[in-house]
Amino acid sequence: MTNFKSLLENYKVIFFDAYGVIKTYNGLIPGIKKTFQWLNEQQKAYYIITNDASRSPELLATAYREFGLDIITPDKIISSGMLAKEFLDLKVKKGLVAYLGTENSAHYIEHPGLQTLPLTEMNEDNINDITALVLLDDEGFEWMDGLNKAVNLLRRRTIPAIIANPDGAYPLSKRDVRIAIGGLAWMIEKITGKKFIRFGKPDSQIFMFAWEYIIKLNPGITKKDILVVGDTLHTDILGGNKFGLDTVLVLTGNLLPEDYETRIFSSGIAPTYVCDSAVIEKDLIN
Amino acid sequence: MTNFKSLLENYKVIFFDAYGVIKTYNGLIPGIKKTFQWLNEQQKAYYIITNDASRSPELLATAYREFGLDIITPDKIISSGMLAKEFLDLKVKKGLVAYLGTENSAHYIEHPGLQTLPLTEMNEDNINDITALVLLDDEGFEWMDGLNKAVNLLRRRTIPAIIANPDGAYPLSKRDVRIAIGGLAWMIEKITGKKFIRFGKPDSQIFMFAWEYIIKLNPGITKKDILVVGDTLHTDILGGNKFGLDTVLVLTGNLLPEDYETRIFSSGIAPTYVCDSAVIEKDLIN
Amino acid sequence: MTNFKSLLENYKVIFFDAYGVIKTYNGLIPGIKKTFQWLNEQQKAYYIITNDASRSPELLATAYREFGLDIITPDKIISSGMLAKEFLDLKVKKGLVAYLGTENSAHYIEHPGLQTLPLTEMNEDNINDITALVLLDDEGFEWMDGLNKAVNLLRRRTIPAIIANPDGAYPLSKRDVRIAIGGLAWMIEKITGKKFIRFGKPDSQIFMFAWEYIIKLNPGITKKDILVVGDTLHTDILGGNKFGLDTVLVLTGNLLPEDYETRIFSSGIAPTYVCDSAVIEKDLIN
Amino acid sequence: MTNFKSLLENYKVIFFDAYGVIKTYNGLIPGIKKTFQWLNEQQKAYYIITNDASRSPELLATAYREFGLDIITPDKIISSGMLAKEFLDLKVKKGLVAYLGTENSAHYIEHPGLQTLPLTEMNEDNINDITALVLLDDEGFEWMDGLNKAVNLLRRRTIPAIIANPDGAYPLSKRDVRIAIGGLAWMIEKITGKKFIRFGKPDSQIFMFAWEYIIKLNPGITKKDILVVGDTLHTDILGGNKFGLDTVLVLTGNLLPEDYETRIFSSGIAPTYVCDSAVIEKDLIN
């Protein structure tokens, strides 16, 4: 167990996971605001690297602001949805992009030259105009209709299929989870035999995207100056390690103090460090 | 390519798959009625071995009768739902059995000592009384609610989880398919890390169940006297082969005359014979 | 935790797993001899149901006799190799059967009408005469040569491929395991895209095979009279449960007293009972 | 079908796959030399992006030179082994790195501060000093010994396990393949439950590595200026597409002119273009 504050001293850029590190289903992690204030004072750079493609960075930042964390501005947020957006720009360019998700999530596929279509509105008249399928969020559509349409679209058309949140499930309460869009994608892949292009941790492309973004703003930075903070071995830690970054596991989300060692051993995924939380001064009121 | 009628001469008992062999989304395969009439005249035994657990054998037979095929009586139908029923009798015995499916499919879990509960009615008051989960049909429940409840039930309780139709999808029209309850089960398994007990082809337990049933009615029968007729390599043919039975692939369902050879080669699953259909006299009006 | 002896009172037939229940890498489980003596005295039937297809029942019984357990005669042993043998009899009948394993394991494929060929002797002259491939044991061949030949045989020929021991690995010492033939088969399947026909627990066909065998010798027996004793959740317990039999987990093999509850919870595979061992009188000298 | 030469006009940088594009088991693709001469004349940049980690770029270039293709110098070759090397530098730093492969492949793990150990020399004395496992080549070790040691090392130690060639098999002749180190890794993963860190196509990190390398040498280049040339949908094309690059499938390797359309449709992986080969002037003698 390492002290989080003393660990931060050794790095110039910190990549934070959002869920389980900064916030949970209950709201902000108590005391986390102080961490960001201190980072600001120390002129250390920090970014939120998130698989949450349900809303734009602007809306994600608004949610933090409503919690009192106005220090996390949209330019500090790198979401897997931004990689989906770049992919559509480079590889799809035109036509009708069908999506599963809410209207808010469709932000990532709005692009000059592209029209968007909620997949549930697909029909025999427009199916042949669809040039890509993007899975953004588990909300915003009726599952039976949307999932069957996704299967039949991919059976009939050879188009890129993108999933911007590869997580299988996410916590809904202390006890229960909810199936995420990444979990729904597994089923569609298995039934159709076609693979989604997955953006988001543990795939290292999101770290590469972040890396290219920050080297412009923080010239001279090397990979050794970056610390990844996460609560999940299979996404944050695995992806950060693979990209060559130092990683720290915090125990405020997915893993409990009593079982993190077993989980590290059974998965073989080892963070560089373990800290109880990403909070630097616990005795202070948030 | 073998002539189906001359093939039948060599066997005393015929196991037919239903979908793709006797009927399709369009109704009965033209001419199939004659096949059953001839089998009756020849005093050959025939059974329908089906993964369809959406309705009782009585209701399945009613559907055939409505098509004019009253020769297929309930005692001729062996459904994977009957194996689920036997499992509950032997291994669960009492308590509340939660299910996903229509009320018709719940037939298979009605049993002295057991109460049934549509999974969508699960709540904090009854979750601890549930002693088994059975997935019967993709219809009859709202997917978002039902699937999330299935995931959380299996995360919280160590109970048998049974799937009575392992198929991932089924044809809805010449072009489109629909996700089957077996496809939904894959996702639940992957998210929870728990495995469903699967009854139905290709698992050989349904052939064993049929075998035990028919040896009482057809004493002296050996495995060499039985022919399995199916349209799907991965279910009917694989399962029949594994149980040691001769198998014939017919080309009225899943596989087309132009690609069955490629599919046999790429899967490595070879039927003993191939026939164009299970119809014995094509020139006659059905 | 249940007392094993009092549990036995309720059953007429006992199915024992071999490895982890009767013996380990160290030899016999201390005291196990007494269990079989008592079963004999009580005129309860017992059978060894094993995935070990490396040797014939006669040679397996010889090994028990050398340990002083002459009470386990060949007729008490049902091995997955016997199912492979039945399959070849019913479905292959003639030609050249290639195998991976020792000469002892080839016992199961010796059959009138069939010639056997160690797969490492496959060449361009005989490859087209091969009518089946059987994987029996991880010993008896050079892996690089044998595994590459298995891959290329299955790529070029559409023939049944059988694996008579589906286990992925087996314990070699308190600390180490050894890759089993079932583990090698996973790789061959993934590379070729073709599936082996798997005989052996957890597949229920071995229990069905045992069931058919014992009902002739023990008329009037029902499934409720049988108890399956095993040390592994994913093979013995899962397979026994699925076939509708009562199951007891013993803690002398794969699972330790301190973690069996976690493993039952995380896998969702629950035995009917748990006992510390299959030994009935621990205070007696073996 | 597009003309390869006219396609090249639109790009400034070309990423070539090696096997199936430049060479096969028979030696160089006839006429390919002319392609590189023309690229040189046109001052277009070209790089070989390869999953072959069996030898250093220097030795790979030597092999091209022996074929008369001295235009492919070591600085033009980017191998997945180079990513493994970078990972060890950033994340392992010191200790004993065990490997499977030939002595030539060990090039990639030689590094100040690191000692290398052929995995077959692992024993009870040195196992606790091992800080990483790297799988480099399917040759250079006895499989039974090496694979069992890999399984037991990963069961006992929580260390990074890296695979520098994720391919499952590679062609050995027109008809036969050979299991690659990536295929062996699948089995080790499944048996141990631990995941290798995979470097090499289709993972996009190798394209990112190449991208960072070339932007220094070719300032002002954008992703739209790069063309990926490959013969395999699941590696070159999938990986190139995901990274946002234009891709061209050539039919001199894995896919034949008669079935590439079926394979694109069934996999859902579509190249931007298809060309018969990467040869620009077929009528000229190589």
Side-chain angles (χ1 to χ4, degrees):
Chain A
M1 279 281 189
T2 309
N3 178 280
F4 188 65
K5 189 173 179 181
S6 58
L7 189 57
L8 293 182
E9 309 276 4
N10 306 322
Y11 297 92
K12 295 178 186 160
V13 177
I14 321 293
F15 286 172
F16 286 91
D17 180 36
Y19 212 93
V21 174
I22 301 175
K23 61 180 178 179
T24 68
Y25 48 85
N26 265 337
L28 287 194
I29 299 273
I32 197 70
K33 205 171 159 183
K34 196 78 191 161
T35 299
F36 289 96
Q37 286 168 346
W38 183 85
L39 289 171
N40 249 2
E41 287 159 21
Q42 301 290 316
Q43 296 187 291
K44 292 183 184 286
Y46 54 86
Y47 299 91
I48 316 299
I49 313 285
T50 176
N51 284 357
D52 185 347
S54 70
R55 281 168 295 174
S56 66
E58 287 71 22
L59 287 177
L60 289 170
T62 302
Y64 287 115
R65 198 169 54 239
E66 285 167 2
F67 281 134
L69 201 61
D70 51 13
I71 214 163
I72 299 181
T73 45
D75 60 304
K76 296 292 189 194
I77 298 176
I78 291 166
S79 127
S80 55
M82 293 160 76
L83 280 82
K85 195 182 189 73
E86 185 195 39
F87 177 87
L88 293 172
D89 171 26
L90 287 165
K91 296 289 298 180
V92 177
K93 294 163 191 160
K94 64 184 179 197
L96 200 54
V97 177
Y99 71 95
L100 287 178
T102 61
E103 275 186 51
N104 273 341
S105 65
H107 155 84
Y108 290 110
I109 58 174
E110 279 152 11
H111 192 77
L114 292 178
Q115 284 178 273
T116 64
L117 178 80
L119 182 59
T120 49
E121 293 176 17
M122 179 183 93
N123 57 40
E124 290 300 321
D125 290 333
N126 60 25
I127 184 169
N128 290 312
D129 301 324
I130 296 175
T131 50
L133 170 64
V134 187
L135 269 55
L136 291 158
D137 196 4
D138 60 289
E139 298 197 46
F141 64 99
E142 207 275 314
W143 283 14
M144 188 190 274
D145 183 35
L147 298 175
N148 276 306
K149 281 193 169 130
V151 164
N152 285 305
L153 173 59
L154 294 182
R155 281 169 50 92
R156 283 165 63 176
R157 302 288 319 284
T158 301
I159 53 171
I162 301 162
I163 167 90
N165 179 348
D167 298 352
Y170 57 95
L172 199 64
S173 69
K174 195 178 170 71
R175 198 147 57 174
D176 287 341
V177 300
R178 199 177 142 87
I179 299 168
I181 188 71
L184 299 172
W186 291 334
M187 178 176 61
I188 298 168
E189 284 182 320
K190 175 139 183 177
I191 290 172
T192 60
K194 299 188 179 179
K195 289 289 249 177
F196 280 88
I197 296 176
R198 286 160 191 277
F199 292 115
K201 297 169 283 182
D203 186 80
S204 57
Q205 198 164 327
I206 194 168
F207 289 107
M208 170 180 16
F209 187 93
W211 166 250
E212 295 219 315
Y213 180 76
I214 64 160
I215 48 174
K216 289 173 199 150
L217 302 170
N218 306 272
I221 285 290
T222 72
K223 285 187 176 179
K224 298 188 186 200
D225 296 320
I226 304 175
L227 178 68
V228 174
V229 188
D231 73 315
T232 309
L233 294 174
H234 282 91
T235 56
D236 314 306
I237 306 303
L238 177 60
N241 282 349
K242 184 178 174 191
F243 194 61
L245 306 180
D246 281 353
T247 52
V248 56
L249 177 75
V250 295
L251 306 176
T252 44
N254 247 317
L255 291 184
L256 303 175
E258 59 266 33
D259 57 25
Y260 78 90
E261 286 178 303
T262 311
R263 295 286 289 277
I264 288 172
F265 181 74
S266 70
S267 68
I269 304 168
T272 322
Y273 308 99
V274 180
C275 290
D276 55 3
S277 79
V279 174
I280 56 171
E281 295 185 40
K282 287 195 196 170
D283 43 355
L284 291 184
I285 288 145
N286 196 26
Chain B
M1 279 283 189
T2 309
N3 178 281
F4 188 65
K5 189 172 178 181
S6 58
L7 188 58
L8 292 182
E9 307 278 3
N10 305 322
Y11 297 91
K12 295 179 187 161
V13 176
I14 322 294
F15 285 172
F16 287 91
D17 179 36
Y19 212 91
V21 174
I22 301 175
K23 63 181 177 177
T24 69
Y25 48 84
N26 264 336
L28 286 193
I29 300 275
I32 197 69
K33 203 170 160 182
K34 197 75 192 161
T35 299
F36 288 97
Q37 286 167 346
W38 183 84
L39 288 170
N40 248 1
E41 286 159 21
Q42 302 290 316
Q43 295 187 292
K44 290 182 185 287
Y46 54 87
Y47 298 92
I48 316 300
I49 313 285
T50 177
N51 283 356
D52 185 347
S54 70
R55 281 168 294 176
S56 66
E58 286 71 22
L59 286 177
L60 290 169
T62 301
Y64 287 116
R65 197 168 56 237
E66 283 167 4
F67 281 135
L69 201 61
D70 52 12
I71 214 164
I72 299 182
T73 45
D75 60 303
K76 296 293 188 192
I77 298 175
I78 290 166
S79 130
S80 55
M82 294 159 75
L83 279 80
K85 195 183 188 72
E86 185 194 40
F87 177 86
L88 293 173
D89 170 26
L90 286 166
K91 296 288 298 179
V92 177
K93 295 165 192 159
K94 66 184 178 195
L96 201 52
V97 177
Y99 70 95
L100 287 178
T102 62
E103 275 187 50
N104 274 340
S105 66
H107 155 83
Y108 290 110
I109 57 174
E110 281 154 9
H111 191 77
L114 293 178
Q115 282 177 278
T116 65
L117 179 79
L119 182 60
T120 49
E121 294 176 16
M122 180 182 92
N123 57 42
E124 290 300 322
D125 290 334
N126 59 27
I127 184 170
N128 290 312
D129 301 324
I130 297 176
T131 50
L133 170 64
V134 188
L135 270 56
L136 291 158
D137 197 4
D138 60 289
E139 299 195 46
F141 64 100
E142 208 275 315
W143 283 15
M144 188 188 276
D145 183 34
L147 298 175
N148 276 307
K149 282 196 168 127
V151 164
N152 285 306
L153 173 59
L154 294 182
R155 281 168 50 90
R156 284 165 63 177
R157 302 288 319 283
T158 300
I159 53 171
I162 302 162
I163 167 88
N165 179 349
D167 298 353
Y170 57 94
L172 199 64
S173 70
K174 194 179 172 69
R175 201 148 53 175
D176 287 341
V177 300
R178 197 178 144 87
I179 299 168
I181 187 71
L184 299 172
W186 291 334
M187 179 176 60
I188 298 167
E189 284 182 321
K190 176 138 183 177
I191 291 172
T192 59
K194 300 190 179 179
K195 291 289 251 178
F196 280 89
I197 296 177
R198 286 160 191 277
F199 292 115
K201 299 170 280 182
D203 186 81
S204 57
Q205 199 165 327
I206 193 169
F207 289 107
M208 169 181 18
F209 187 93
W211 165 250
E212 294 218 313
Y213 181 74
I214 64 160
I215 47 174
K216 288 174 200 150
L217 301 170
N218 306 270
I221 286 291
T222 73
K223 284 186 174 180
K224 297 186 185 200
D225 296 319
I226 303 175
L227 179 68
V228 173
V229 188
D231 74 316
T232 309
L233 293 175
H234 282 89
T235 55
D236 312 308
I237 305 303
L238 177 60
N241 282 350
K242 184 178 174 191
F243 195 61
L245 305 181
D246 281 353
T247 52
V248 55
L249 177 75
V250 295
L251 306 176
T252 44
N254 248 314
L255 291 183
L256 303 175
E258 58 268 33
D259 57 24
Y260 78 90
E261 285 177 305
T262 311
R263 295 284 290 278
I264 288 173
F265 181 73
S266 69
S267 67
I269 303 169
T272 322
Y273 308 99
V274 179
C275 291
D276 54 3
S277 79
V279 174
I280 57 173
E281 295 186 38
K282 288 194 195 170
D283 44 356
L284 292 185
I285 289 145
N286 196 26
Chain C
M1 280 281 189
T2 309
N3 178 281
F4 188 64
K5 188 173 178 182
S6 58
L7 188 57
L8 292 182
E9 308 276 4
N10 306 322
Y11 298 91
K12 295 178 186 160
V13 177
I14 321 295
F15 285 171
F16 287 91
D17 180 35
Y19 212 91
V21 174
I22 301 175
K23 61 180 178 179
T24 68
Y25 48 85
N26 265 335
L28 287 193
I29 300 274
I32 197 71
K33 205 170 159 184
K34 197 75 192 161
T35 300
F36 288 98
Q37 286 168 345
W38 183 84
L39 289 170
N40 249 1
E41 286 160 23
Q42 301 290 318
Q43 295 187 294
K44 292 182 185 285
Y46 54 86
Y47 298 92
I48 315 300
I49 313 285
T50 177
N51 283 358
D52 185 347
S54 69
R55 280 169 295 175
S56 65
E58 285 71 23
L59 286 177
L60 290 169
T62 301
Y64 287 116
R65 198 169 53 238
E66 285 167 1
F67 281 134
L69 202 60
D70 52 12
I71 214 163
I72 300 182
T73 45
D75 60 302
K76 296 295 189 191
I77 298 175
I78 291 167
S79 128
S80 54
M82 294 160 74
L83 281 81
K85 195 182 187 72
E86 184 193 40
F87 177 86
L88 293 173
D89 170 29
L90 287 165
K91 296 289 297 182
V92 176
K93 294 164 192 159
K94 65 184 178 196
L96 200 54
V97 177
Y99 70 95
L100 287 178
T102 61
E103 274 186 52
N104 274 341
S105 66
H107 155 84
Y108 291 110
I109 58 176
E110 280 153 9
H111 192 78
L114 292 178
Q115 283 177 274
T116 64
L117 179 79
L119 182 60
T120 49
E121 294 176 16
M122 180 183 92
N123 56 42
E124 290 301 320
D125 290 333
N126 59 27
I127 185 170
N128 290 312
D129 301 324
I130 296 175
T131 50
L133 171 64
V134 187
L135 270 55
L136 291 159
D137 197 4
D138 61 289
E139 299 196 46
F141 64 98
E142 207 276 315
W143 283 15
M144 188 189 276
D145 182 35
L147 298 175
N148 276 306
K149 282 195 168 127
V151 164
N152 285 305
L153 173 60
L154 293 182
R155 280 169 50 91
R156 283 164 64 177
R157 302 289 318 285
T158 301
I159 53 171
I162 303 162
I163 167 88
N165 180 348
D167 299 353
Y170 57 95
L172 198 64
S173 69
K174 194 177 171 72
R175 198 147 54 174
D176 287 340
V177 301
R178 200 179 141 87
I179 300 169
I181 188 71
L184 299 172
W186 291 334
M187 178 177 60
I188 298 168
E189 284 182 321
K190 176 138 183 177
I191 290 172
T192 60
K194 300 189 178 178
K195 290 288 250 179
F196 281 88
I197 297 176
R198 287 162 189 275
F199 293 114
K201 298 170 280 182
D203 186 80
S204 58
Q205 199 165 325
I206 194 169
F207 289 107
M208 169 181 15
F209 187 93
W211 165 250
E212 294 218 316
Y213 180 75
I214 64 160
I215 47 174
K216 288 173 198 150
L217 301 170
N218 306 272
I221 286 292
T222 73
K223 285 185 175 181
K224 298 188 185 199
D225 297 320
I226 304 174
L227 179 68
V228 174
V229 187
D231 73 316
T232 308
L233 293 174
H234 282 89
T235 56
D236 313 306
I237 305 304
L238 177 59
N241 281 349
K242 184 178 175 190
F243 194 62
L245 306 181
D246 281 354
T247 52
V248 55
L249 177 74
V250 295
L251 306 176
T252 44
N254 248 316
L255 292 183
L256 303 175
E258 58 267 33
D259 57 24
Y260 79 91
E261 285 177 306
T262 312
R263 295 286 289 279
I264 288 172
F265 181 73
S266 70
S267 67
I269 304 169
T272 322
Y273 308 98
V274 180
C275 291
D276 54 3
S277 78
V279 174
I280 55 172
E281 295 184 41
K282 287 194 199 172
D283 43 356
L284 292 184
I285 289 146
N286 195 28
Chain D
M1 279 283 189
T2 309
N3 178 281
F4 188 65
K5 189 174 179 181
S6 58
L7 188 57
L8 293 182
E9 308 277 4
N10 306 322
Y11 298 90
K12 294 177 187 161
V13 177
I14 321 294
F15 285 172
F16 287 91
D17 180 36
Y19 212 93
V21 174
I22 301 174
K23 61 180 180 179
T24 68
Y25 47 86
N26 265 335
L28 287 192
I29 300 273
I32 196 70
K33 205 170 159 182
K34 197 76 192 160
T35 298
F36 289 96
Q37 286 168 346
W38 183 85
L39 289 170
N40 249 1
E41 286 159 22
Q42 301 290 317
Q43 295 188 291
K44 290 182 185 286
Y46 54 86
Y47 298 91
I48 315 300
I49 313 285
T50 176
N51 283 357
D52 185 347
S54 70
R55 280 168 297 174
S56 66
E58 286 71 22
L59 287 177
L60 290 169
T62 302
Y64 287 117
R65 197 168 57 238
E66 283 167 4
F67 281 135
L69 202 60
D70 51 13
I71 214 164
I72 300 182
T73 45
D75 60 302
K76 296 293 190 193
I77 298 175
I78 290 165
S79 128
S80 55
M82 293 160 75
L83 281 81
K85 195 181 189 71
E86 185 194 40
F87 177 87
L88 293 173
D89 170 26
L90 286 165
K91 296 288 298 179
V92 176
K93 294 164 192 161
K94 64 182 180 196
L96 200 54
V97 177
Y99 69 95
L100 288 178
T102 61
E103 275 186 50
N104 274 340
S105 65
H107 156 84
Y108 290 110
I109 57 175
E110 280 153 10
H111 191 78
L114 292 178
Q115 282 177 276
T116 64
L117 179 79
L119 183 60
T120 48
E121 294 176 16
M122 179 182 92
N123 56 43
E124 290 301 320
D125 290 333
N126 59 25
I127 184 168
N128 289 313
D129 300 324
I130 296 175
T131 51
L133 171 65
V134 187
L135 270 54
L136 291 159
D137 197 4
D138 60 289
E139 299 196 45
F141 64 98
E142 206 275 315
W143 283 15
M144 189 190 275
D145 182 35
L147 299 174
N148 276 307
K149 281 193 169 130
V151 164
N152 285 306
L153 173 60
L154 294 181
R155 281 168 50 92
R156 283 164 63 177
R157 301 288 320 281
T158 300
I159 53 171
I162 302 163
I163 166 89
N165 179 348
D167 299 354
Y170 58 94
L172 198 66
S173 70
K174 195 179 170 70
R175 200 150 52 178
D176 286 340
V177 299
R178 198 177 143 88
I179 300 168
I181 188 71
L184 299 173
W186 290 335
M187 178 176 61
I188 298 168
E189 284 182 320
K190 175 138 183 176
I191 289 172
T192 60
K194 300 190 177 177
K195 290 288 251 178
F196 281 88
I197 297 178
R198 287 159 190 278
F199 293 115
K201 296 170 283 183
D203 187 80
S204 57
Q205 198 164 327
I206 194 169
F207 289 108
M208 170 180 15
F209 187 94
W211 166 251
E212 296 219 312
Y213 180 75
I214 65 160
I215 47 175
K216 288 172 199 153
L217 302 170
N218 307 270
I221 286 291
T222 73
K223 285 186 174 180
K224 297 188 185 198
D225 296 318
I226 304 175
L227 178 68
V228 174
V229 188
D231 73 315
T232 308
L233 294 174
H234 282 90
T235 56
D236 313 306
I237 306 305
L238 177 59
N241 282 348
K242 184 178 174 191
F243 194 61
L245 306 180
D246 281 353
T247 52
V248 54
L249 178 75
V250 295
L251 306 176
T252 44
N254 246 318
L255 290 184
L256 303 175
E258 58 267 32
D259 57 25
Y260 78 90
E261 286 177 304
T262 312
R263 295 284 289 277
I264 288 172
F265 181 74
S266 70
S267 68
I269 303 168
T272 323
Y273 308 99
V274 180
C275 290
D276 54 3
S277 79
V279 175
I280 57 171
E281 295 185 40
K282 287 196 197 169
D283 44 355
L284 291 184
I285 289 146
N286 197 23

